[in-house]
Amino acid sequence: MRLSVLDLVPVRSDQSTADALAATAALAKTADRLGFTRYWVAEHHNMAAVAATSPPVLIAYLAAQTATIRLGSGGVMLPNHAPLAVAEQFALLEAAAPGRIDLGIGRAPGSDPVTSVALRGAAGRDDSDIERFPQYLDDVAALMGARGVRVELTRGGLLQQQDYVLKATPNAASEPRLWLLGSSMYSAHLAAAKGLPYVFANHFSGQGTAEALAAYRAEFRPSAELSEPLTFLTVNASVAPTRTEAEDLLLPNLQMMGRLRTGRPLGPLDLVEDALAATISAQEQLIVDSGRARTVVGEPAEAADQIRALAEQFDVDEVMISPVGSAYRGTAPATAPARETTLELLAKELL
């Protein structure tokens, strides 16, 4: 089995952004050393508990500190950005770290409506760009290629046949691997139609994963990019020497999701002691209980068994772990020992 990592770069209540980035760099080095396949970073905006706002910047930061692990976006939210800008960023990353770059692309905004408007307005985008998503996806792929895109120019209302070629990089020797990400059936159908690798966001809700993967596999059309369906599973995880400790370290993340889904204000990720002492509503408790049931949690052997069962259930040979454990009071701010321990313990069982 292959194991990979998804990182939102969580920011705990005892951390600055600089601390959270230092902890992520250490986590990426750990994943690289242990033999994990890939390390993806997300795009979220205006969230006190998430420092992953710019995947290409984070990937460049991590590429300089790792050796062999693939690095990618999980994902770039394409409606927020011009296709040429995304293509340029990832073509440059691929040139700097050839054979190590994944470009995972999503259609959702990755932010609240106000932030989304601010992002798209600054980039000259609006909601109509969501409707153009399939074409933008094609544009990014073509722009990153060695041949680029031939642009037809008009002058005075007349089409001018000119060989104007637009490229993301002057002389591409290799291209990033393009993945389509999603949390709805739309993305499954689109990935199948375009013959792209596809990942459903199972870690986010745990709902609809089987249906999305079944549709993707049934409808898949081979392409120049891919001859057969390619996917893997994403899941949140908290693994520790004992189940009690693993559950305690998981609790701050579960309570944060409870606040998010009930519309309560969000702050940084709580420390374990604060989460254990917190009073939450009945509705939030239901969300906490549901999230715990969908998370890989426990001591190493039982957590490994959970991952094997998920891989068998969804017929995948790669599982992407999002290590979501928080920390106890007194932990060095620039570290994330619970997240590193999750990777280390799972590697001993599965790699």
Side-chain angles (χ1 to χ4, degrees):
M1 179 184 295
R2 294 191 299 272
L3 291 179
S4 294
V5 180
L6 175 64
D7 188 2
L8 275 63
V9 193
V11 183
R12 305 189 308 259
S13 60
D14 64 335
Q15 289 180 311
S16 67
T17 302
D19 293 329
L21 288 171
T24 274
L27 189 66
K29 292 176 186 177
T30 297
D32 195 22
R33 171 176 56 81
L34 293 172
F36 281 70
T37 299
R38 65 188 91 240
Y39 195 103
W40 283 8
V41 291
E43 178 185 343
H44 292 289
H45 301 281
N46 200 35
M47 297 180 69
V50 177
T53 57
S54 178
V57 172
L58 274 172
I59 291 167
Y61 173 65
L62 298 176
Q65 303 183 66
T66 54
T68 61
I69 195 167
R70 293 190 66 90
L71 300 165
S73 55
V76 166
M77 301 296 104
L78 189 53
N80 294 339
H81 313 284
L84 177 58
V86 174
E88 286 182 331
Q89 291 161 356
F90 280 81
L92 193 59
L93 288 168
E94 176 68 19
R100 294 180 59 201
I101 303 300
D102 293 329
L103 170 52
I105 289 180
R107 179 171 170 261
S111 62
D112 62 84
V114 175
T115 305
S116 180
V117 168
L119 280 168
R120 294 181 188 178
R125 326 291 288 167
D126 57 37
D127 284 346
S128 66
D129 291 294
I130 296 176
E131 299 173 6
R132 299 189 184 103
F133 179 75
Q135 180 59 53
Y136 289 163
L137 196 62
D138 291 342
D139 291 343
V140 170
L143 287 162
M144 292 190 302
R147 290 184 297 178
V149 175
R150 184 177 181 274
V151 179
E152 294 181 335
L153 304 176
T154 60
R155 180 179 298 170
L158 299 175
L159 183 65
Q160 307 293 310
Q161 297 297 326
Q162 297 184 26
D163 289 328
Y164 189 93
V165 177
L166 190 61
K167 292 185 176 183
T169 191
N171 190 13
S174 60
E175 301 170 26
R177 165 57 68 88
L178 187 63
W179 293 77
L180 184 58
L181 316 181
S183 57
S184 70
M185 293 300 293
Y186 172 92
S187 56
H189 296 312
L190 183 60
K194 291 187 176 294
L196 290 172
Y198 170 64
V199 180
F200 184 85
N202 177 75
H203 68 286
F204 184 70
S205 69
Q207 302 296 317
T209 303
E211 294 82 357
L213 295 185
Y216 169 65
R217 288 167 172 148
E219 299 171 15
F220 183 84
R221 299 176 187 175
S223 66
E225 173 82 13
L226 198 62
S227 61
E228 59 185 18
L230 177 61
T231 187
F232 56 75
L233 182 72
T234 63
V235 64
N236 293 329
S238 177
V239 186
T242 68
R243 183 177 182 90
T244 298
E245 184 180 359
E247 289 188 341
D248 286 350
L249 289 162
L250 171 64
L251 186 60
N253 180 270
L254 296 176
Q255 290 183 353
M256 181 181 68
M257 293 307 299
R259 290 192 292 272
L260 175 66
R261 292 178 178 171
T262 57
R264 286 185 58 192
L266 295 178
L269 185 67
D270 282 341
L271 296 173
V272 170
E273 292 88 348
D274 296 326
L276 289 170
T279 300
I280 64 175
S281 69
Q283 185 180 7
E284 288 173 293
Q285 187 62 53
L286 289 174
I287 295 169
V288 166
D289 293 341
S290 175
R292 184 183 291 109
R294 297 193 311 271
T295 300
V296 169
V297 57
E299 51 83 22
E302 67 173 321
D305 285 343
Q306 293 170 36
I307 290 175
R308 291 189 189 100
L310 285 168
E312 181 177 357
Q313 177 184 352
F314 294 106
D315 191 23
V316 296
D317 58 12
E318 180 177 340
V319 175
M320 178 170 274
I321 304 299
S322 179
V324 294
S326 183
Y328 295 100
R329 186 166 286 108
T331 298
T335 68
R339 299 207 295 146
E340 290 191 39
T341 296
T342 289
L343 298 192
E344 289 167 349
L345 295 178
L346 288 177
K348 288 179 181 178
E349 295 287 333
L350 296 169
L351 294 182

CSV table of all heavy atoms in Angstrom, one decimal, residues 23-73:
chain,number,residue,atom,x,y,z
A,23,ALA,N,6.3,23.8,11.5
A,23,ALA,CA,5.8,22.5,11.9
A,23,ALA,C,5.5,21.7,10.6
A,23,ALA,O,5.7,20.5,10.5
A,23,ALA,CB,4.6,22.6,12.7
A,24,THR,N,4.9,22.4,9.6
A,24,THR,CA,4.6,21.7,8.3
A,24,THR,C,5.9,21.3,7.6
A,24,THR,O,6.0,20.2,7.0
A,24,THR,CB,3.8,22.7,7.4
A,24,THR,OG1,2.4,22.5,7.8
A,24,THR,CG2,4.0,22.4,6.0
A,25,ALA,N,6.9,22.1,7.6
A,25,ALA,CA,8.2,21.8,7.0
A,25,ALA,C,8.8,20.5,7.7
A,25,ALA,O,9.2,19.6,7.0
A,25,ALA,CB,9.2,22.9,7.1
A,26,ALA,N,8.7,20.4,9.0
A,26,ALA,CA,9.2,19.3,9.7
A,26,ALA,C,8.3,18.0,9.4
A,26,ALA,O,8.9,16.9,9.2
A,26,ALA,CB,9.2,19.5,11.2
A,27,LEU,N,7.0,18.2,9.2
A,27,LEU,CA,6.2,17.1,8.9
A,27,LEU,C,6.5,16.6,7.5
A,27,LEU,O,6.5,15.4,7.2
A,27,LEU,CB,4.7,17.5,9.0
A,27,LEU,CG,3.6,16.5,8.8
A,27,LEU,CD1,3.7,15.5,10.0
A,27,LEU,CD2,2.2,17.1,8.7
A,28,ALA,N,6.7,17.5,6.5
A,28,ALA,CA,7.0,17.1,5.2
A,28,ALA,C,8.3,16.3,5.1
A,28,ALA,O,8.5,15.3,4.4
A,28,ALA,CB,7.1,18.3,4.3
A,29,LYS,N,9.3,16.8,5.9
A,29,LYS,CA,10.6,16.1,6.0
A,29,LYS,C,10.4,14.7,6.5
A,29,LYS,O,11.0,13.7,6.1
A,29,LYS,CB,11.6,16.8,6.8
A,29,LYS,CG,12.1,18.2,6.2
A,29,LYS,CD,13.0,18.9,7.2
A,29,LYS,CE,13.3,20.3,6.7
A,29,LYS,NZ,14.2,21.0,7.6
A,30,THR,N,9.5,14.5,7.5
A,30,THR,CA,9.3,13.2,8.1
A,30,THR,C,8.6,12.3,7.1
A,30,THR,O,9.0,11.1,7.0
A,30,THR,CB,8.3,13.4,9.3
A,30,THR,OG1,9.0,14.2,10.3
A,30,THR,CG2,7.9,12.0,9.9
A,31,ALA,N,7.6,12.8,6.4
A,31,ALA,CA,7.0,12.0,5.3
A,31,ALA,C,7.9,11.6,4.2
A,31,ALA,O,7.9,10.5,3.8
A,31,ALA,CB,5.8,12.8,4.7
A,32,ASP,N,8.8,12.5,3.9
A,32,ASP,CA,9.9,12.2,2.9
A,32,ASP,C,10.8,11.1,3.4
A,32,ASP,O,11.1,10.1,2.7
A,32,ASP,CB,10.6,13.5,2.6
A,32,ASP,CG,11.5,13.4,1.3
A,32,ASP,OD1,11.2,12.5,0.4
A,32,ASP,OD2,12.4,14.1,1.2
A,33,ARG,N,11.2,11.2,4.6
A,33,ARG,CA,12.1,10.2,5.2
A,33,ARG,C,11.5,8.8,5.3
A,33,ARG,O,12.1,7.8,5.1
A,33,ARG,CB,12.6,10.7,6.6
A,33,ARG,CG,13.4,9.7,7.4
A,33,ARG,CD,13.9,10.3,8.7
A,33,ARG,NE,12.9,10.9,9.5
A,33,ARG,CZ,12.1,10.2,10.3
A,33,ARG,NH1,12.2,8.9,10.4
A,33,ARG,NH2,11.1,10.8,11.0
A,34,LEU,N,10.2,8.8,5.7
A,34,LEU,CA,9.5,7.5,5.9
A,34,LEU,C,9.0,6.8,4.6
A,34,LEU,O,8.6,5.7,4.7
A,34,LEU,CB,8.3,7.8,6.8
A,34,LEU,CG,8.6,8.3,8.2
A,34,LEU,CD1,7.3,8.7,8.9
A,34,LEU,CD2,9.3,7.2,9.0
A,35,GLY,N,9.1,7.5,3.5
A,35,GLY,CA,8.7,6.8,2.2
A,35,GLY,C,7.3,7.1,1.8
A,35,GLY,O,6.8,6.3,1.0
A,36,PHE,N,6.7,8.1,2.3
A,36,PHE,CA,5.3,8.5,1.8
A,36,PHE,C,5.4,8.9,0.3
A,36,PHE,O,6.4,9.4,-0.1
A,36,PHE,CB,4.7,9.6,2.7
A,36,PHE,CG,4.2,9.1,4.0
A,36,PHE,CD1,5.0,8.7,5.0
A,36,PHE,CD2,2.8,9.1,4.2
A,36,PHE,CE1,4.5,8.2,6.2
A,36,PHE,CE2,2.3,8.7,5.4
A,36,PHE,CZ,3.1,8.2,6.4
A,37,THR,N,4.4,8.6,-0.4
A,37,THR,CA,4.4,8.9,-1.9
A,37,THR,C,4.3,10.3,-2.2
A,37,THR,O,5.1,10.8,-3.1
A,37,THR,CB,3.2,8.1,-2.5
A,37,THR,OG1,3.4,6.7,-2.3
A,37,THR,CG2,3.2,8.3,-4.1
A,38,ARG,N,3.4,11.0,-1.7
A,38,ARG,CA,3.1,12.4,-2.0
A,38,ARG,C,2.7,13.3,-0.8
A,38,ARG,O,2.2,12.7,0.2
A,38,ARG,CB,2.1,12.6,-3.2
A,38,ARG,CG,0.7,12.1,-2.9
A,38,ARG,CD,-0.1,12.1,-4.2
A,38,ARG,NE,-0.1,10.8,-4.8
A,38,ARG,CZ,0.4,10.5,-6.1
A,38,ARG,NH1,0.8,11.6,-6.8
A,38,ARG,NH2,0.4,9.3,-6.5
A,39,TYR,N,2.9,14.6,-0.9
A,39,TYR,CA,2.5,15.5,0.1
A,39,TYR,C,1.8,16.7,-0.5
A,39,TYR,O,2.4,17.4,-1.3
A,39,TYR,CB,3.8,16.0,0.8
A,39,TYR,CG,3.6,16.7,2.2
A,39,TYR,CD1,3.8,16.0,3.4
A,39,TYR,CD2,3.2,18.0,2.2
A,39,TYR,CE1,3.7,16.6,4.6
A,39,TYR,CE2,3.0,18.6,3.5
A,39,TYR,CZ,3.3,17.9,4.6
A,39,TYR,OH,3.1,18.5,5.8
A,40,TRP,N,0.5,16.8,-0.2
A,40,TRP,CA,-0.3,17.8,-0.9
A,40,TRP,C,-0.7,18.9,0.2
A,40,TRP,O,-0.9,18.6,1.3
A,40,TRP,CB,-1.6,17.2,-1.5
A,40,TRP,CG,-1.4,16.5,-2.8
A,40,TRP,CD1,-0.2,16.2,-3.4
A,40,TRP,CD2,-2.4,16.0,-3.6
A,40,TRP,NE1,-0.4,15.6,-4.6
A,40,TRP,CE2,-1.7,15.4,-4.8
A,40,TRP,CE3,-3.8,16.0,-3.6
A,40,TRP,CZ2,-2.4,14.8,-5.8
A,40,TRP,CZ3,-4.5,15.4,-4.6
A,40,TRP,CH2,-3.8,14.8,-5.7
A,41,VAL,N,-0.8,20.1,-0.3
A,41,VAL,CA,-1.2,21.2,0.5
A,41,VAL,C,-2.5,21.9,-0.1
A,41,VAL,O,-2.6,21.9,-1.3
A,41,VAL,CB,-0.1,22.3,0.7
A,41,VAL,CG1,1.0,21.7,1.6
A,41,VAL,CG2,0.4,22.8,-0.6
A,42,ALA,N,-3.3,22.4,0.8
A,42,ALA,CA,-4.7,22.8,0.4
A,42,ALA,C,-4.7,24.3,0.1
A,42,ALA,O,-3.7,25.0,0.3
A,42,ALA,CB,-5.7,22.5,1.4
A,43,GLU,N,-5.8,24.8,-0.5
A,43,GLU,CA,-6.0,26.2,-0.6
A,43,GLU,C,-7.3,26.6,0.1
A,43,GLU,O,-8.4,26.2,-0.3
A,43,GLU,CB,-6.2,26.6,-2.1
A,43,GLU,CG,-6.5,28.1,-2.3
A,43,GLU,CD,-6.8,28.5,-3.7
A,43,GLU,OE1,-6.4,27.8,-4.6
A,43,GLU,OE2,-7.4,29.6,-3.9
A,44,HIS,N,-7.1,27.3,1.2
A,44,HIS,CA,-8.2,27.9,2.0
A,44,HIS,C,-7.9,29.3,2.3
A,44,HIS,O,-6.7,29.7,2.4
A,44,HIS,CB,-8.5,27.1,3.3
A,44,HIS,CG,-9.0,25.7,3.0
A,44,HIS,ND1,-10.3,25.4,2.6
A,44,HIS,CD2,-8.4,24.5,3.2
A,44,HIS,CE1,-10.5,24.1,2.4
A,44,HIS,NE2,-9.4,23.5,2.8
A,45,HIS,N,-8.9,30.1,2.5
A,45,HIS,CA,-8.7,31.6,2.7
A,45,HIS,C,-9.4,32.1,3.9
A,45,HIS,O,-10.5,31.7,4.2
A,45,HIS,CB,-9.1,32.3,1.5
A,45,HIS,CG,-8.4,31.9,0.2
A,45,HIS,ND1,-7.1,32.3,-0.1
A,45,HIS,CD2,-8.8,31.1,-0.8
A,45,HIS,CE1,-6.7,31.8,-1.2
A,45,HIS,NE2,-7.7,31.0,-1.7
A,46,ASN,N,-8.8,33.1,4.6
A,46,ASN,CA,-9.4,33.9,5.7
A,46,ASN,C,-9.9,33.0,6.8
A,46,ASN,O,-11.0,33.2,7.3
A,46,ASN,CB,-10.6,34.7,5.1
A,46,ASN,CG,-10.9,35.9,6.0
A,46,ASN,OD1,-10.0,36.5,6.7
A,46,ASN,ND2,-12.2,36.2,6.1
A,47,MET,N,-9.1,32.0,7.2
A,47,MET,CA,-9.5,31.1,8.3
A,47,MET,C,-8.4,31.1,9.3
A,47,MET,O,-7.2,30.9,9.0
A,47,MET,CB,-9.7,29.6,7.8
A,47,MET,CG,-10.8,29.5,6.8
A,47,MET,SD,-11.1,27.8,6.2
A,47,MET,CE,-11.6,27.0,7.7
A,48,ALA,N,-8.7,31.4,10.5
A,48,ALA,CA,-7.7,31.6,11.6
A,48,ALA,C,-7.0,30.3,11.9
A,48,ALA,O,-5.9,30.3,12.4
A,48,ALA,CB,-8.4,32.0,12.9
A,49,ALA,N,-7.6,29.1,11.6
A,49,ALA,CA,-6.9,27.8,11.9
A,49,ALA,C,-6.2,27.2,10.7
A,49,ALA,O,-5.7,26.1,10.8
A,49,ALA,CB,-8.0,26.9,12.4
A,50,VAL,N,-6.2,27.9,9.6
A,50,VAL,CA,-5.6,27.3,8.4
A,50,VAL,C,-4.6,28.3,7.7
A,50,VAL,O,-5.0,29.4,7.3
A,50,VAL,CB,-6.6,26.9,7.4
A,50,VAL,CG1,-6.0,26.3,6.1
A,50,VAL,CG2,-7.6,25.9,8.0
A,51,ALA,N,-3.3,27.9,7.6
A,51,ALA,CA,-2.3,28.8,7.0
A,51,ALA,C,-2.1,28.5,5.5
A,51,ALA,O,-1.3,29.1,4.9
A,51,ALA,CB,-1.0,28.7,7.8
A,52,ALA,N,-2.7,27.4,5.0
A,52,ALA,CA,-2.5,27.0,3.6
A,52,ALA,C,-3.4,27.8,2.7
A,52,ALA,O,-4.5,27.5,2.3
A,52,ALA,CB,-2.8,25.5,3.4
A,53,THR,N,-2.9,29.0,2.3
A,53,THR,CA,-3.6,29.9,1.4
A,53,THR,C,-3.1,29.9,0.0
A,53,THR,O,-3.9,30.2,-0.9
A,53,THR,CB,-3.5,31.3,1.9
A,53,THR,OG1,-2.2,31.7,2.0
A,53,THR,CG2,-4.2,31.5,3.3
A,54,SER,N,-1.9,29.5,-0.2
A,54,SER,CA,-1.3,29.6,-1.5
A,54,SER,C,-0.5,28.3,-1.8
A,54,SER,O,0.7,28.2,-1.5
A,54,SER,CB,-0.3,30.8,-1.6
A,54,SER,OG,0.3,30.9,-2.9
A,55,PRO,N,-1.1,27.3,-2.4
A,55,PRO,CA,-0.4,26.0,-2.7
A,55,PRO,C,1.0,26.2,-3.4
A,55,PRO,O,2.0,25.6,-3.0
A,55,PRO,CB,-1.4,25.2,-3.5
A,55,PRO,CG,-2.7,25.7,-3.0
A,55,PRO,CD,-2.5,27.2,-2.8
A,56,PRO,N,1.1,27.0,-4.5
A,56,PRO,CA,2.4,27.0,-5.2
A,56,PRO,C,3.5,27.6,-4.3
A,56,PRO,O,4.6,27.1,-4.4
A,56,PRO,CB,2.1,27.9,-6.4
A,56,PRO,CG,0.9,28.6,-6.1
A,56,PRO,CD,0.1,27.7,-5.3
A,57,VAL,N,3.2,28.6,-3.5
A,57,VAL,CA,4.2,29.1,-2.6
A,57,VAL,C,4.6,28.1,-1.6
A,57,VAL,O,5.8,27.9,-1.3
A,57,VAL,CB,3.7,30.4,-1.8
A,57,VAL,CG1,4.7,30.8,-0.8
A,57,VAL,CG2,3.4,31.5,-2.8
A,58,LEU,N,3.7,27.3,-1.0
A,58,LEU,CA,4.0,26.3,0.0
A,58,LEU,C,4.8,25.2,-0.7
A,58,LEU,O,5.7,24.6,-0.1
A,58,LEU,CB,2.7,25.7,0.6
A,58,LEU,CG,2.1,26.5,1.8
A,58,LEU,CD1,0.8,25.9,2.1
A,58,LEU,CD2,3.1,26.3,3.0
A,59,ILE,N,4.4,24.8,-1.9
A,59,ILE,CA,5.1,23.7,-2.6
A,59,ILE,C,6.6,24.1,-2.8
A,59,ILE,O,7.5,23.3,-2.6
A,59,ILE,CB,4.4,23.3,-3.9
A,59,ILE,CG1,3.0,22.7,-3.6
A,59,ILE,CG2,5.3,22.4,-4.7
A,59,ILE,CD1,2.1,22.6,-4.8
A,60,ALA,N,6.8,25.3,-3.2
A,60,ALA,CA,8.2,25.8,-3.4
A,60,ALA,C,9.0,25.7,-2.1
A,60,ALA,O,10.1,25.3,-2.1
A,60,ALA,CB,8.2,27.2,-4.0
A,61,TYR,N,8.3,26.1,-1.0
A,61,TYR,CA,8.9,26.1,0.3
A,61,TYR,C,9.3,24.7,0.7
A,61,TYR,O,10.4,24.5,1.2
A,61,TYR,CB,7.9,26.7,1.3
A,61,TYR,CG,8.2,26.7,2.7
A,61,TYR,CD1,9.3,27.4,3.3
A,61,TYR,CD2,7.4,26.0,3.6
A,61,TYR,CE1,9.6,27.4,4.6
A,61,TYR,CE2,7.7,25.9,5.0
A,61,TYR,CZ,8.8,26.6,5.5
A,61,TYR,OH,9.0,26.6,6.8
A,62,LEU,N,8.4,23.8,0.4
A,62,LEU,CA,8.7,22.4,0.8
A,62,LEU,C,9.6,21.7,-0.1
A,62,LEU,O,10.4,20.8,0.3
A,62,LEU,CB,7.3,21.6,0.9
A,62,LEU,CG,6.4,22.2,2.0
A,62,LEU,CD1,5.0,21.4,1.9
A,62,LEU,CD2,7.0,22.1,3.4
A,63,ALA,N,9.6,22.0,-1.4
A,63,ALA,CA,10.5,21.4,-2.4
A,63,ALA,C,12.0,21.6,-2.0
A,63,ALA,O,12.8,20.8,-2.2
A,63,ALA,CB,10.2,21.9,-3.8
A,64,ALA,N,12.2,22.8,-1.4
A,64,ALA,CA,13.6,23.1,-1.1
A,64,ALA,C,14.1,22.4,0.2
A,64,ALA,O,15.3,22.4,0.5
A,64,ALA,CB,13.7,24.6,-0.8
A,65,GLN,N,13.1,21.7,0.9
A,65,GLN,CA,13.5,21.0,2.1
A,65,GLN,C,13.3,19.5,2.1
A,65,GLN,O,13.5,18.9,3.1
A,65,GLN,CB,12.7,21.7,3.3
A,65,GLN,CG,12.9,23.2,3.4
A,65,GLN,CD,12.2,23.8,4.6
A,65,GLN,OE1,12.5,23.5,5.7
A,65,GLN,NE2,11.2,24.6,4.3
A,66,THR,N,12.9,19.0,0.9
A,66,THR,CA,12.6,17.6,0.8
A,66,THR,C,13.4,17.1,-0.4
A,66,THR,O,13.9,17.9,-1.2
A,66,THR,CB,11.1,17.3,0.6
A,66,THR,OG1,10.6,18.1,-0.5
A,66,THR,CG2,10.4,17.6,1.9
A,67,ALA,N,13.5,15.7,-0.6
A,67,ALA,CA,14.3,15.2,-1.6
A,67,ALA,C,13.6,14.4,-2.7
A,67,ALA,O,13.8,14.6,-3.9
A,67,ALA,CB,15.4,14.3,-0.9
A,68,THR,N,12.7,13.5,-2.3
A,68,THR,CA,12.1,12.6,-3.3
A,68,THR,C,10.6,12.6,-3.3
A,68,THR,O,10.0,12.2,-4.3
A,68,THR,CB,12.6,11.1,-3.0
A,68,THR,OG1,12.2,10.7,-1.7
A,68,THR,CG2,14.1,11.0,-3.1
A,69,ILE,N,9.9,13.0,-2.2
A,69,ILE,CA,8.5,12.9,-2.1
A,69,ILE,C,7.8,13.8,-3.2
A,69,ILE,O,8.3,14.9,-3.5
A,69,ILE,CB,8.0,13.2,-0.7
A,69,ILE,CG1,6.5,12.8,-0.5
A,69,ILE,CG2,8.2,14.7,-0.4
A,69,ILE,CD1,6.1,12.8,1.0
A,70,ARG,N,6.7,13.3,-3.8
A,70,ARG,CA,6.0,14.2,-4.7
A,70,ARG,C,5.3,15.3,-3.9
A,70,ARG,O,4.7,15.0,-2.8
A,70,ARG,CB,5.0,13.4,-5.6
A,70,ARG,CG,5.6,12.4,-6.5
A,70,ARG,CD,4.6,11.8,-7.5
A,70,ARG,NE,4.0,12.8,-8.3
A,70,ARG,CZ,4.5,13.1,-9.5
A,70,ARG,NH1,5.6,12.5,-10.0
A,70,ARG,NH2,3.9,14.1,-10.3
A,71,LEU,N,5.2,16.5,-4.5
A,71,LEU,CA,4.6,17.6,-3.8
A,71,LEU,C,3.4,18.1,-4.7
A,71,LEU,O,3.6,18.2,-5.9
A,71,LEU,CB,5.6,18.7,-3.6
A,71,LEU,CG,6.7,18.3,-2.7
A,71,LEU,CD1,7.9,19.3,-2.8
A,71,LEU,CD2,6.3,18.2,-1.2
A,72,GLY,N,2.3,18.5,-4.1
A,72,GLY,CA,1.2,18.9,-5.0
A,72,GLY,C,0.2,19.8,-4.2
A,72,GLY,O,0.3,20.0,-3.0
A,73,SER,N,-0.8,20.2,-5.0
A,73,SER,CA,-1.9,21.0,-4.4
A,73,SER,C,-3.1,20.1,-4.3
A,73,SER,O,-3.5,19.4,-5.1
A,73,SER,CB,-2.2,22.1,-5.4
A,73,SER,OG,-2.5,21.6,-6.7
